[in-house]
Amino acid sequence: MKLTTKLMALTAIVSASSASAVELEVMHWWTSGGEAAAVAKFAEAWDATGNTWVDGAIAGGGDTARPIMVSRIIGGDPPAAFQFNHGRQAEELIEAGLLLDLTDVAEAEGWADIVNPSNLLDACTVDGRIYCAPVNIHSWQWMWLSNGAYEKAGVPVPTSWTEFAASADALVAAGITPLAMGGQSWQQNGAFGVMSVALAGTDAWLAVNRDKNAEVAGGPEYARVFEAFGAARELSAGLNVQDWNQATAAVINDTAGAQIMGDWAQGEFAVAGEVAGEDYSCLPGLGEVAVLSTGGDAFYFPVVDDAEITAAQKELAALLLSPPVQVSFNSAKGSLPIRGDVDLTTVNECTQKGLDLLAAGNLLPDGAALLSPDTVTQLNDLMTEFWNTPSMTPAEVQEQYAAIIADAD
């Protein structure tokens, strides 16, 4: 087995070695074309150590996958590892003592020095102990635009949300749906969050999401966002798709002008052979605010009564953050690596925009790191109700939104 010097030292910390081949079942919800290509990089790296990655992909996204994963864990049949987002999703599992403490791995590998921004490691830390391995930086703060659709419509590719809204009539006249939106509630609530940052501003967004300020949520800054969200609902009419990658495909196929979606959409563009700056364009902060949110994915490892499996879990955790794996995975995923000491000279112009914002410190925490899963579920339900109920006015949904924020934890 190929182990780095640090990993060899690490195996001395734990009571057993994974010198013999170990199969680890890894559960995740990366099932689209771009996502599958990315997770294959993890599998290839793990298999190259002489161990075996047993893929436990669950279709349907995180809302479908998380309950299944939790059920497996509390039911006594846990996988060896599983993907969650950065944030508060694993709090109860950690409190119940069901997840492996990775502090020794983090210290041996120097994660405190390499994970950037540091809040990603903070999101893995409870009472001073580290329980997950962050693997990427994903940001919701993007709009992706089809250059071909705008060429067909005979208008320039927009450089802001304001210009996009103004271009909608030309797209419709050319038979193109202006805004691609899937039918899942997390997509609609996620797009609303992006619009909130862009149109209400970062201070108002932090007041609502971090400080739980219901007055701001019900005030004039957010009224502008809800009016724009209502307009966005109209701009998506005519495109009936469910999954986020189906909406991305409409942009790739030039049947939709744009999509508000996280940078994981780049994996779909890459699989389709699309080139950033030529076939598609990207607007961080909808072109209104130069900012990047720092969400993403992390892997957790359930506690098991098997020293060999435990040692292999810790080896895998270290491998996921190693430089070559960080480069190969994130290049395929469309995300940014969580370590700044890797060579990214070959990234495309959209990824470079993200790196520039990261370097400049133009960052916001991810909303999921500030709001409890229960609050996020309530907001998902509210936004999808609004999106699918044309008679519901922006003022009505804002009133209900402010009430949820008032009770948020």
Side-chain angles (χ1 to χ4, degrees):
M1 177 172 295
K2 301 177 181 177
L3 295 176
T4 64
T5 301
K6 286 183 178 180
L7 283 176
M8 291 177 69
L10 178 60
T11 58
I13 296 175
V14 297
S15 60
S17 169
S18 56
S20 59
V22 176
E23 290 188 352
L24 294 185
E25 181 190 10
V26 184
M27 297 184 75
H28 60 87
W29 58 78
W30 290 326
T31 57
S32 75
E35 291 172 326
V39 76
K41 301 299 183 181
F42 282 155
E44 290 167 6
W46 181 242
D47 290 350
T49 68
N51 297 295
T52 302
W53 175 289
V54 179
D55 201 67
I58 302 172
D63 290 346
T64 299
R66 278 188 292 270
I68 297 172
M69 296 172 182
V70 171
S71 178
R72 285 275 305 272
I73 294 166
I74 64 178
D77 181 30
F82 65 96
Q83 167 212 1
F84 265 18
N85 298 124
H86 299 311
R88 300 173 59 182
Q89 296 171 352
E91 283 180 343
E92 293 182 356
L93 293 173
I94 294 171
E95 291 170 359
L98 296 173
L99 298 185
L100 184 64
D101 185 339
L102 299 174
T103 305
D104 53 355
V105 183
E107 291 176 349
E109 293 293 298
W111 287 359
D113 297 322
I114 64 174
V115 174
N116 178 45
S118 59
N119 68 290
L120 297 183
L121 192 58
D122 293 341
C124 291
T125 305
V126 177
D127 296 331
R129 310 300 293 178
I130 296 170
Y131 290 91
C132 68
V135 296
N136 60 10
I137 303 168
H138 264 320
S139 176
W140 252 106
Q141 306 299 318
W142 294 91
M143 182 158 70
W144 311 94
L145 304 108
S146 164
N147 291 4
Y150 278 93
E151 182 178 358
K152 181 179 178 181
V155 292
V157 176
T159 61
S160 68
W161 174 264
T162 302
E163 291 181 7
F164 167 73
S167 74
D169 288 344
L171 291 172
V172 172
I176 297 167
T177 301
L179 184 66
M181 179 68 73
Q184 296 160 322
S185 62
W186 67 267
Q187 298 179 56
Q188 291 136 23
N189 188 34
F192 175 81
V194 176
M195 295 175 70
S196 300
V197 172
L199 302 179
T202 57
D203 289 343
W205 184 87
L206 285 169
V208 170
N209 290 271
R210 181 190 62 197
D211 304 331
K212 316 302 188 287
N213 190 320
E215 184 176 348
V216 175
E221 293 139 310
Y222 262 69
R224 180 190 178 199
V225 182
F226 280 102
E227 289 292 339
F229 196 55
R233 179 175 62 181
E234 302 303 317
L235 297 180
S236 71
L239 183 68
N240 184 22
V241 297
Q242 183 71 9
D243 295 334
W244 69 268
N245 53 305
Q246 293 174 315
T248 307
V251 178
I252 292 171
N253 295 328
D254 305 331
T255 57
Q259 179 189 25
I260 299 173
M261 185 51 60
D263 50 17
W264 49 88
Q266 280 216 93
E268 303 304 299
F269 287 109
V271 168
E274 299 266 290
V275 177
E278 296 180 14
D279 301 304
Y280 68 98
S281 297
C282 54
L283 296 178
L286 304 188
E288 305 283 350
V289 179
V291 68
L292 198 73
S293 59
T294 51
D297 303 288
F299 279 87
Y300 292 81
F301 302 82
V303 171
V304 296
D305 187 20
D306 185 316
E308 184 179 42
I309 295 297
T310 299
Q313 288 173 312
K314 293 187 174 186
E315 183 186 356
L316 176 59
L319 182 73
L320 296 176
L321 273 74
S322 64
V325 175
Q326 277 286 296
V327 172
S328 63
F329 169 75
N330 285 292
S331 295
K333 192 70 165 62
S335 49
L336 303 180
I338 51 82
R339 52 189 304 159
D341 59 348
V342 295
D343 183 8
L344 295 170
T345 55
T346 61
V347 299
N348 67 41
E349 67 174 53
C350 290
T351 301
Q352 188 59 56
K353 287 181 181 180
L355 289 170
D356 290 344
L357 291 171
L358 181 63
N362 292 359
L363 306 175
L364 282 176
D366 188 73
L370 301 177
L371 300 172
S372 70
D374 178 64
T375 298
V376 171
T377 297
Q378 292 181 60
L379 294 177
N380 283 349
D381 292 344
L382 176 62
M383 293 309 168
T384 200
E385 179 186 2
F386 174 73
W387 197 264
N388 294 305
T389 310
S391 62
M392 192 175 188
T393 68
E396 290 171 340
V397 71
Q398 184 177 11
E399 181 179 2
Q400 294 183 47
Y401 177 83
I404 292 173
I405 294 300
D407 292 334
D409 55 359

